[in-house]
Amino acid sequence: MADTFDDVLDRFRRAAKGFEHHLRAVPPDGWGAPTPCPEWDVRQLANHMTRGNLNYVGLLRGATRDEFLAQRDADALGDDPVTAFSASAEACAAAFAGSGALDRVVDYPMGALTGRRALAVRTADSVVHTWDLARALGAGDRLDADLVAWVDDGYEDIFAGLAVDRFFADPPAGAPPASRQDRLLTRFGRDPR
């Protein structure tokens, strides 16, 4: 049986590409559109993803959880959100591909984690936010089935011991959805109906 954290760097790259695919489709007047995350419009979601990638690089370089959180909402998009996101994803992948990065312990906001687990958290976040962006754009919101299965199967390993209730909304009320993707989205407080 494969370990949850096998191929996590490749999975992160695929998740980032999925988000970038939708980001490239944002029309000029679409940056202010609402997303399923009530506190963010499309630009704020894109900034969250871009800033997040950069903050993960910072963790590997020794940044503290307080420094991570202090930078969480700082603008990372400038005048070219797509290029900024793409560059941040490449920087994040390059940092985690570095020698020993996956085994390094980082001061993550939800608790100390190895780089491997931190990147798994980042990847899961990227998968869910890809759906958020697709929904905001009215685009096809079918996620990469392999990534959905990986996050769903590995959820307990990825988030073990972390205070996820501080970051994820409660699942919506009602009967559990039938599809695996929809069940996963409800775990992260989304309502896929």
Side-chain angles (χ1 to χ4, degrees), residues 157-179:
D157 292 332
I158 295 167
F159 295 102
L162 301 180
V164 295
D165 58 329
R166 288 179 45 210
F167 294 91
F168 305 147
D170 290 332
S179 80

Side-chain angles (χ1 to χ4, degrees), residues 55-65 67 104-107:
N55 284 350
Y56 275 71
V57 172
L59 289 175
L60 283 177
R61 293 180 179 160
T64 66
R65 70 185 67 197
E67 291 168 326
R104 190 170 308 137
V105 175
V106 299
D107 189 24

